[in-house]
Amino acid sequence: MKYVNTGVVFQEIPDETTLAINISGCPCRCPGCHSQYLWDDVGLPLTTDAIDMFVRQYGTDITCIAFMGGDADPVGVNRLAQYIHETYPQLHVAWYSGRLRVPSSVNKADFDYIKIGPYIRHLGPLKQPTTNQRLYRQNADGQWEDITHRFWKSPISEV
């Protein structure tokens, strides 16, 4: 598994300052994808050493690490999520997957957030109420809550 780039983002996971790691080799190839550069198998190896480097670099500036992709190696993504939780328990872990469901080989308990669903142009991205994509948050009791509505802007009421 390889990553192409990273960025600190504020929109991907509500209430988190997230280090988004863009993983290459995406097998989903959604029509209209805004990240087609991630379809090819390019970049640097995404290892525990790379995770350690990111945490040293960003320190307390981040509260979450999000794997953007990784559908070609969901077990590898799961391994890294487990590593982050064990080594950096102060950080939350998210996974943006283009699949319809989380593979049975993945332990969802190793994640705090999981986004599933391919991008379907006519349904729109997460910020559209018509989207097919869903973002789930694992609650303290281990149950998963759909928090997709957090991306939708509510109409401003007139005063």
Side-chain angles (χ1 to χ4, degrees):
M1 184 167 44
K2 297 176 185 171
Y3 74 98
V4 176
N5 54 20
T6 64
V8 175
V9 296
F10 303 97
Q11 295 182 21
E12 305 298 344
I13 304 296
D15 305 320
E16 302 280 0
T17 303
T18 303
L19 177 65
I21 303 173
N22 292 310
I23 300 172
S24 67
C26 182
C28 299
R29 300 180 185 254
C30 302
C33 173
H34 63 73
S35 300
Q36 289 184 17
Y37 69 99
L38 295 175
W39 291 5
D40 296 324
D41 183 22
V42 296
L44 300 170
L46 185 54
T47 63
T48 56
D49 287 341
I51 297 295
D52 293 340
M53 177 189 69
F54 297 143
V55 173
R56 278 193 308 274
Q57 181 178 356
Y58 294 101
T60 58
D61 291 342
I62 59 171
T63 61
C64 181
I65 294 179
F67 299 106
M68 309 303 283
D71 291 299
D73 187 4
V75 172
V77 172
N78 195 158
R79 247 189 327 269
L80 290 174
Q82 186 179 33
Y83 174 79
I84 292 167
H85 272 156
E86 290 173 357
T87 310
Y88 306 103
Q90 75 278 14
L91 293 175
H92 293 131
V93 181
W95 182 25
Y96 263 52
S97 170
R99 299 292 187 187
L100 292 173
R101 60 190 56 83
V102 177
S104 60
S105 58
V106 169
N107 181 5
K108 293 187 293 190
D110 291 327
F111 297 88
D112 300 289
Y113 302 91
I114 297 177
K115 191 282 298 180
I116 56 171
Y119 173 71
I120 299 175
R121 184 180 300 158
H122 72 277
L123 297 177
L126 279 172
K127 67 181 181 178
Q128 297 295 324
T130 55
T131 188
N132 63 296
Q133 299 177 319
R134 292 288 176 259
L135 178 66
Y136 295 93
R137 174 181 57 209
Q138 184 174 193
N139 293 324
D141 64 2
Q143 296 297 310
W144 288 87
E145 175 186 6
D146 184 341
I147 62 167
T148 310
H149 67 277
R150 299 277 313 272
F151 290 95
W152 307 335
K153 294 188 189 289
S154 55
I156 299 173
S157 57
E158 292 185 35
V159 179

